[in-house]
């Protein structure tokens, strides 16, 4: 047996190691300097604000391992967090491993702040397990396993390699990945085979995912699954034409002047990196940091695809092919924390944003558990004028952290009928009754009063490694559309060249106010599923007057508003009551030309054009 190291035995090459409980990872910070001084810990050659030094002084030396120390960033002072005053700046934070019982003892000390360094989720596209309750397979007599073969092809018969195949049953899902021949064999317990609820096939790229409910399974011969290509739905895509996608039309990006491209705005995408050699990302993601790997160049590789998909939505190249981003001239930075990202990685990534003058941060990630240190850090970046746009989450439950913070803009996901093949998996994500325009709340989206706005997050086509495209679902892909809109506002809205030009919290608050004020309300049942509604880029940028659903208070103007609503000239939230007669007007007055000083003249002219007012004959009254 090898010599012990830090209280653990290091096994030899063939001995193995007996499994036991693992040490947990924690974030460790010290109390405010005033509290340390009061406790008599301000003196000494080393700063007591050093969390590792403090643990040593408290007699905890040798009971923990230090992964790294995240040094205090040079951000603005924090004045208030909740009801307690917060010290200026932000403390050093040590990432340590220790036993849970030791951590519980230390966390009770008034000079120590200790919290779990929990894993983050990057809000991946929701899988077929959503809503299916799985039973404990250990309690079920499942019998022998049966080999069930499948072959995945496109319509031309070409095998699709790398496709994920899931066979879903209440017992547990069976999963496999197709080989170069498009074939895969799943091992399925005999008892579970008769209770299969669905077959989910997710191609690696360039094809639609397919969902087959109650599939007929024959273990004696391969089941063939045909996945339509994206090119069948969008002829000429991706090589011959540029795909704008339904989201650009829904949020009115397609009607903006061609000069609105986000030049000069810095956006950080904290995610899984970026495939910088992708045709739509080449030259677009130009800087970053691999926080998880602690290198300056690892962000250029994206093994997950999640960060590349997000980056394409925000800033994909306008090169006549593939997809086009919302802001193809914004400066994009990639902070890589996935796979394996934790709270500590997000802390460090936000420090990168502070140090590099970032304007906007896209966070398509979250956790079911909160973090006080992260909440303070996000408030610190807000005070520095950095706006965080955060995906609400894909669990179908309460809004995840940090989207549930008041200091960020939380984005839920919606879809639109007719924007994907009916046999695709996207068709299973419709929640409730779609609106007249076909919009629906996504079944997977987190919801609640913390949701600020909603955006397209179903059947969103964007870039994935190495040079391909995929249609994915998730609030992860709704948030970047709102991030792109925020970048357009910072670059082109007059407010941010004048009164709100300074990098402070007021700029962030005004930015969020404009986005929410531009929204088209959606009748999706629960307001928590859509927040203020679907942002309208044209209205947000002041290129059209904001929509109002409230009639004027003045009785005469209210009557005119009602008439215009009946004619479809202004929107109305419900059927409009008949226009009241203008009894006070002299006989025939409605048919006379308006006087030069009549403030209602423009409205009367519009109503006459709509045929609601006559020009002198009784038939037109």
């Amino acid at each position: 047996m090898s010599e012990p190291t830090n209280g653990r035995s290091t096994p030899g090459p063939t001995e193995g190691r007996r499994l036991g409980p693992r040490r947990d990872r924690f974030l460790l910070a010290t109390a405010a300097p005033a509290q340390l001084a009061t406790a008599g810990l301000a003196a000494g050659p080393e700063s007591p604000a050093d969390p590792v030094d403090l643990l040593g002084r408290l007699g905890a030396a040798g009971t923990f391992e230090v992964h790294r120390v995240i040094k205090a960033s040079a951000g603005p002072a924090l004045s208030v967090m909740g009801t307690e005053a917060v010290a200026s700046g932000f403390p050093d934070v040590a990432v340590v491993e220790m036993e849970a019982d030791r951590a519980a003892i230390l966390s009770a000390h008034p000079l120590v702040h200790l919290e779990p360094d929990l894993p983050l989720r990057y809000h991946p596209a929701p899988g077929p397990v959503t809503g299916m309750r799985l039973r404990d397979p250990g309690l079920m007599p499942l019998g022998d396993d049966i080999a069930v073969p499948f072959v995945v092809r496109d319509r031309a018969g070409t095998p699709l390699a790398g496709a994920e195949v899931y066979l879903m049953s209440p017992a547990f899902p069976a999963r496999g990945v197709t080989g170069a021949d498009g074939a895969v064999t799943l091992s399925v317990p005999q008892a579970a085979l008769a209770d299969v609820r669905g077959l989910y096939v997710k191609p690696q790229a360039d094809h639609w995912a397919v969902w087959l409910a109650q599939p007929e399974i024959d273990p004696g011969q391969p089941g063939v699954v045909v996945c339509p290509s994206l090119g069948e739905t969008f002829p000429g895509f991706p090589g011959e034409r540029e795909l704008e996608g339904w989201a650009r039309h829904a949020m009115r990006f397609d009607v903006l002047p061609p000069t609105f491209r986000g030049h000069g705005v810095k956006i950080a995408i904290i995610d899984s990196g970026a495939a910088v050699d992708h045709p739509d990302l080449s030259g677009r993601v130009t800087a970053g940091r691999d926080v998880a790997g602690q290198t300056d160049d690892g962000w250029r590789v994206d093994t997950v695809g999640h960060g590349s998909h997000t980056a394409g939505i925000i800033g994909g190249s306008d090169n006549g092919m593939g997809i086009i981003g919302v802001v193809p001239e914004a400066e994009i930075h990639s902070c890589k924390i996935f796979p394996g990202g934790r709270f500590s990685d997000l802390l460090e990534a936000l420090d990168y944003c502070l140090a590099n003058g970032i304007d906007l941060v896209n966070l398509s990630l979250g956790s079911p558990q909160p973090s006080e240190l992260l909440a303070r850090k996000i408030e610190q970046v807000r005070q520095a004028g950095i706006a965080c746009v955060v995906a609400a989450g894909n669990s179908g439950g309460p809004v995840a952290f940090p989207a549930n913070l008041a200091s960020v803009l939380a984005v839920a996901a919606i879809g639109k009928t007719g924007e994907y093949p009916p046999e695709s998996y996207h068709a299973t994500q419709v929640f409730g009754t779609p609106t007249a325009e076909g919009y629906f709340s996504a079944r997977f989206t987190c919801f609640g009063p913390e949701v600020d706005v909603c955006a397209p997050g179903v059947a969103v086509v964007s870039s994935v490694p190495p040079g391909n495209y995929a249609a994915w679902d998730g609030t992860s892909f709704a948030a970047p559309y709102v991030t792109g809109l925020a970048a357009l506002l910072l670059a082109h809205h007059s407010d941010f060249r004048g009164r709100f030009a300074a990098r402070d919290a007021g700029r962030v608050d005004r930015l969020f106010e404009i986005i929410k004020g531009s929204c088209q309300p959606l009748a999706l049942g629960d307001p928590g599923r859509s927040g203020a509604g679907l942002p309208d880029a044209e209205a947000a940028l002041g290129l059209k007057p904001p929509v109002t659903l409230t009639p004027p208070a003045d009785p005469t103007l209210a009557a005119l508003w009602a008439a215009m609503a009946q004619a479809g000239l202004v929107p109305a939230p419900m059927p409009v009551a008949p226009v009241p007669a203008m009894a006070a007007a002299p006989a025939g007055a409605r048919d006379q030309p308006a006087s030069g000083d009549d403030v209602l003249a423009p409205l009367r002219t519009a109503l006459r054009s709509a045929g609601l007012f006559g020009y002198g004959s009784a038939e037109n009254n």
Side-chain angles (χ1 to χ4, degrees):
M1 183 74 68
S2 304
E3 291 297 319
T5 303
N6 293 323
R8 296 181 178 183
S9 297
T10 303
T14 60
E15 295 178 47
R17 177 172 61 87
R18 183 175 180 178
L19 290 178
R22 69 173 184 270
R23 285 186 168 189
D24 292 327
R25 187 176 294 190
F26 297 90
L27 298 176
L28 169 67
T30 65
Q35 292 175 273
L36 292 169
T38 301
L41 291 172
E46 297 184 35
S47 168
D50 180 339
V52 177
D53 175 48
L54 178 61
L55 282 187
R57 296 189 185 203
L58 295 177
T63 64
F64 61 91
E65 297 178 33
V66 179
H67 276 264
R68 68 184 189 275
V69 176
I70 304 171
K71 303 301 292 183
S73 56
L78 299 179
S79 56
V80 177
M81 184 65 191
T83 59
E84 299 180 1
V86 179
S88 295
F90 196 85
D92 290 353
V93 177
V95 183
V96 300
E97 274 192 8
M98 63 177 66
E99 276 74 21
D101 55 351
R102 170 63 64 175
I105 295 172
L106 288 172
S107 63
H109 198 287
L111 301 182
V112 174
H113 177 85
L114 199 68
E115 64 179 57
D117 185 18
L118 297 176
L120 285 161
R121 302 173 181 174
Y122 52 76
H123 291 332
V129 183
T130 301
M132 182 177 289
R133 296 184 178 180
L134 303 180
R135 297 189 298 238
D136 181 356
L139 301 179
M140 300 175 60
L142 297 177
D144 296 333
D145 285 355
I146 295 178
V148 182
F150 294 96
V151 174
V152 181
R153 303 171 181 162
D154 65 12
R155 293 200 195 278
T158 304
L160 299 182
E164 300 174 49
V165 179
Y166 297 84
L167 201 57
M168 306 303 302
S169 81
F172 53 82
R175 177 187 181 273
V177 179
T178 60
D181 58 354
V184 63
T185 299
L186 304 184
S187 182
V188 182
Q190 185 173 5
L193 194 60
D195 201 18
V196 169
R197 303 292 177 85
L199 177 68
Y200 173 55
V201 179
K202 182 183 178 183
Q204 196 168 41
D206 302 328
H207 293 77
W208 296 100
V210 168
W211 169 260
L212 299 175
Q214 304 294 125
E216 183 180 0
I217 304 299
D218 182 359
Q221 57 182 333
V224 178
V225 180
V226 177
C227 295
S229 70
L230 297 179
E232 293 176 47
T233 307
F234 312 113
F237 174 80
E240 300 173 13
R241 74 176 180 99
E242 207 164 54
L243 179 67
E244 287 198 339
W246 73 271
R248 290 181 62 84
H249 298 276
M251 293 181 65
R252 305 284 288 166
F253 294 124
D254 59 315
V255 303
L256 299 181
T259 55
F260 282 42
R261 300 168 71 81
H263 181 76
V265 177
K266 292 184 178 182
I267 304 171
I269 300 172
I270 301 179
D271 213 297
S272 61
V276 295
D277 294 328
H278 192 288
D280 274 312
L281 301 181
S282 178
R284 293 296 304 118
V285 188
T286 56
R289 168 77 177 165
D290 181 357
V291 177
Q294 293 292 293
T295 70
D296 289 327
D297 57 2
W299 59 270
R300 300 173 181 272
V301 177
D302 183 5
T303 58
V304 177
H306 194 268
S308 299
H309 199 279
T310 300
I313 294 169
I314 294 173
S317 296
D318 185 7
N319 55 11
M321 59 176 291
I323 49 99
I324 177 174
V326 177
V327 279
E329 291 185 5
E331 180 182 323
I332 299 180
H333 295 237
S334 173
C335 292
K336 181 176 181 176
I337 67 171
F338 293 117
R342 291 175 177 264
F343 285 168
S344 54
D345 301 309
L346 182 51
L347 279 174
E348 194 169 337
L350 290 171
D351 280 339
Y352 173 95
C353 298
L354 285 166
N356 287 274
I358 297 298
D359 296 296
L360 294 162
V361 181
N362 188 90
L363 296 174
S364 292
L365 51 79
S367 167
Q369 302 297 323
S371 162
E372 181 182 338
L373 283 172
L374 261 177
R376 288 175 58 184
K377 177 62 68 176
I378 289 173
E379 176 61 20
Q380 186 185 30
V381 302
R382 173 179 167 270
Q383 296 288 345
I386 303 172
C388 292
V389 179
V390 189
N394 295 341
S395 70
V399 175
F401 174 85
N404 57 7
L405 295 176
S407 51
V408 306
L409 193 74
V411 185
I414 61 169
K416 188 178 183 184
T417 57
E419 298 295 338
Y420 43 79
E423 71 270 29
S424 71
Y425 183 67
H426 311 294
T428 68
Q429 299 306 317
V430 180
F431 181 88
T433 302
T435 67
E437 300 85 2
Y439 295 125
F440 60 85
S441 178
R443 184 175 301 277
F444 56 79
T445 190
C446 288
F447 60 95
E450 302 89 350
V451 168
D452 292 301
V453 299
C454 60
V458 176
V460 175
V461 178
S462 188
S463 47
V464 294
N468 303 88
Y469 300 88
W472 287 352
D473 299 341
T475 58
S476 283
F477 314 119
Y481 281 111
V482 180
T483 299
L485 173 58
L488 286 172
L489 289 168
L490 290 179
H492 304 292
H493 196 288
S494 60
D495 277 12
F496 303 104
R497 295 191 294 273
R499 180 183 173 189
F500 296 97
R503 294 180 63 91
D504 56 21
R507 180 172 90 146
V508 175
D509 295 344
R510 177 58 178 157
L511 179 64
F512 292 168
E513 179 185 9
I514 293 174
I515 292 173
K516 290 186 283 188
S518 77
C519 286
Q520 168 194 350
L522 297 180
L524 300 179
D526 183 353
R529 302 189 77 89
S530 57
L534 178 64
D536 183 320
E538 188 181 20
L541 287 158
L543 302 179
K544 72 175 183 180
V547 173
T548 177
L549 300 180
T550 305
D554 181 270
T556 304
L557 291 176
L560 292 171
W561 181 90
M564 294 177 74
Q566 281 184 324
L569 300 177
V570 296
M574 59 188 67
V576 179
V579 181
M582 297 183 181
R590 285 178 291 164
D591 302 327
Q592 302 303 318
S595 61
D597 59 353
D598 185 354
V599 295
L600 302 181
L603 290 175
R604 293 181 188 277
T605 300
L607 291 170
R608 287 194 182 98
S609 298
L612 297 175
F613 281 153
Y615 287 88
S617 62
E619 302 93 285
N620 290 329
N621 287 344

